Amino acid sequence: MMQSLIEGFRAQLQKAQEIGKSLTFTAPNQPIQNVVIAGLGGSGIGGNLVESFMASGLKVPVTVSKTYTVPNFVSAHTLFIACSFSGNTEETLQALELVEQRGAKIFCVTSGGQLLEKAKSAGYDFAQIPNEAPCPRAFLGYSLTQLLYAFKGYKLSDTEFEAAYTETLALLENNATDIQEKARELANAFYNHLPVVYADTHFGGVITRFQQQINENSKQLCHAHVFPEMNHNELVGWESGDSVRNKTAVLMIRSGLDHERVKIRMDICKNIFEEKAAKVIELEPKGTSLITQSFYLIHLLDWVSFYLAEKNGVDPFQVNIIMHLKGELAKV
């Protein structure tokens, strides 16, 4: 099933746009001065991505929250976006209860469950996305797109994103074979190794998404960090620990959109990694915009996690240990 879900990413983006364009956004009672996006796992990573995508045109600060509570600054001047694919994520539902007491403007992104019921009964703005399988991480295209349209609908960013979708759809179609070939190569490189992924800050959400996909689909650990922050702490960790480093495969994502100083930092660090790690691989995304490059990377790296799952001999769809956790929590 995971293979067909990844194959459907392009079609998902098309359908997601249709949903986004049909949304209705009501005016807030108070001017919006900040945005809080709440969500966990596959439902929450969209918040990190949209924060990067919208950054150049943002008119208000954005906070991504991934817990039961909300920042103390939440008020009637806050747009609170609750994201839960199932509509039953306990952390997000509890955060919503707190926000309701503070009079925030609320927008919900969900396929159903308690969150959709709450949105309808309370009259909140909402986007209902399809529930084609119980797998939130496979429907990032649906949820992320609704966030972009929310920022446009509430007039909180001047960032143009619809042209990037047009470019992305053509790019994914024209490079389908090449993307899968590159993904197989990366999966082979990561097999029996610890993937360590680095990129400039604007790709932070993308590489966090990849880390999560390796965790859930490939059933193994992965590590991701961003430049230049890693130069101020993590870089020192490469000085020792030969037993770990010798099983490490470093993936460096390099883009023409990277900051000029970051490009220099990466050049220097590549030499360090080549001395310490088992493998160092560079990957350059295709596309002209941050959004297009990010979607290209998300799709390619999703395929990597799928092929690595095959090599690991595991089912990329099932997440039994998470279901066990949820079952135990339900007893308390």
Side-chain angles (χ1 to χ4, degrees):
M1 178 175 285
M2 185 57 70
Q3 179 175 352
S4 63
L5 291 173
I6 296 174
E7 288 173 343
F9 183 63
R10 182 178 178 278
Q12 184 185 136
L13 289 177
Q14 287 181 300
K15 189 173 181 180
Q17 275 195 289
E18 295 173 6
I19 297 170
K21 290 176 180 178
S22 70
L23 297 178
T24 300
F25 300 97
T26 59
N29 293 327
Q30 300 292 335
I32 295 173
Q33 297 177 350
N34 55 77
V35 179
V36 174
I37 305 174
L40 283 292
S43 300
I45 190 62
N48 300 101
L49 289 163
V50 77
E51 184 180 14
S52 296
F53 291 177
M54 297 278 98
S56 62
L58 277 177
K59 299 178 181 179
V60 296
V62 177
T63 300
V64 181
S65 178
K66 303 191 178 192
T67 186
Y68 295 91
T69 59
V70 295
N72 190 53
F73 64 73
V74 170
S75 69
H77 292 281
T78 300
L79 171 64
F80 181 80
I81 304 178
C83 301
S84 170
F85 178 76
S86 68
N88 298 316
T89 307
E90 66 172 55
E91 298 96 327
T92 304
L93 291 173
Q94 286 200 22
L96 177 60
E97 289 181 8
L98 296 174
V99 166
E100 288 176 318
Q101 300 170 15
R102 304 187 191 180
K105 177 67 176 177
I106 295 172
F107 175 69
C108 303
V109 180
T110 184
S111 70
Q114 297 177 57
L115 186 58
L116 183 61
E117 292 177 5
K118 169 70 76 170
K120 289 182 175 179
S121 63
Y124 300 146
D125 293 347
F126 69 91
Q128 183 174 5
I129 58 179
N131 187 343
E132 298 166 358
C135 188
R137 65 190 183 279
F139 300 105
L140 173 64
Y142 283 139
S143 57
L144 170 57
T145 302
Q146 309 323 307
L147 295 179
L148 293 171
Y149 276 99
F151 275 80
K152 178 182 179 180
Y154 292 116
K155 298 179 175 58
L156 298 177
S157 175
D158 293 328
T159 302
E160 167 57 43
F161 63 88
E162 290 177 304
Y165 271 70
T166 301
E167 181 188 9
T168 297
L169 295 175
L171 183 66
L172 296 184
E173 182 176 23
N174 296 334
N175 292 272
T177 301
D178 178 65
I179 285 172
Q180 292 193 41
E181 288 177 354
K182 287 184 178 179
R184 286 186 183 276
E185 292 174 4
L186 287 171
N188 289 334
F190 289 147
Y191 181 57
N192 279 335
H193 287 76
L194 172 67
V196 174
V197 191
Y198 293 125
D200 199 349
T201 300
H202 48 222
F203 289 121
V206 171
I207 62 175
T208 298
R209 156 76 174 187
F210 179 54
Q211 175 180 306
Q212 294 171 349
Q213 292 293 81
I214 292 293
N215 296 158
E216 294 192 72
N217 291 348
S218 311
K219 311 296 188 288
Q220 70 173 70
L221 293 175
C222 177
H223 177 71
H225 206 345
V226 294
F227 279 81
E229 172 63 17
M230 70 83 58
N231 284 171
H232 296 265
N233 38 66
E234 182 168 313
L235 186 60
V236 183
W238 283 94
E239 290 187 3
S240 62
D242 288 344
S243 61
V244 175
R245 293 199 318 255
N246 291 340
K247 297 293 289 183
T248 297
V250 175
L251 174 63
M252 301 182 72
I253 294 174
R254 311 288 300 266
S255 167
L257 302 177
D258 295 344
H259 192 282
E260 291 303 317
R261 295 293 292 178
V262 167
K263 292 177 183 179
I264 297 171
R265 288 173 178 272
M266 285 190 170
D267 288 338
I268 297 170
C269 289
K270 180 185 177 184
N271 294 329
I272 297 172
F273 300 150
E274 287 178 333
E275 292 179 2
K276 307 289 187 178
K279 307 173 184 179
V280 178
I281 309 149
E282 291 186 307
L283 174 62
E284 183 175 355
K286 295 185 178 182
T288 61
S289 70
L290 176 62
I291 294 176
T292 300
Q293 290 190 10
S294 295
F295 278 138
Y296 171 86
L297 288 169
I298 287 168
H299 189 50
L300 189 157
L301 296 173
D302 277 3
W303 275 118
V304 173
S305 71
F306 174 78
Y307 291 132
L308 188 55
E310 285 189 330
K311 297 187 73 66
N312 288 341
V314 296
D315 181 352
F317 186 80
Q318 298 298 330
V319 285
N320 294 329
I321 196 167
I322 293 179
M323 300 311 295
H324 168 73
L325 171 64
K326 289 183 177 180
E328 292 299 304
L329 285 170
K331 297 175 183 179
V332 181

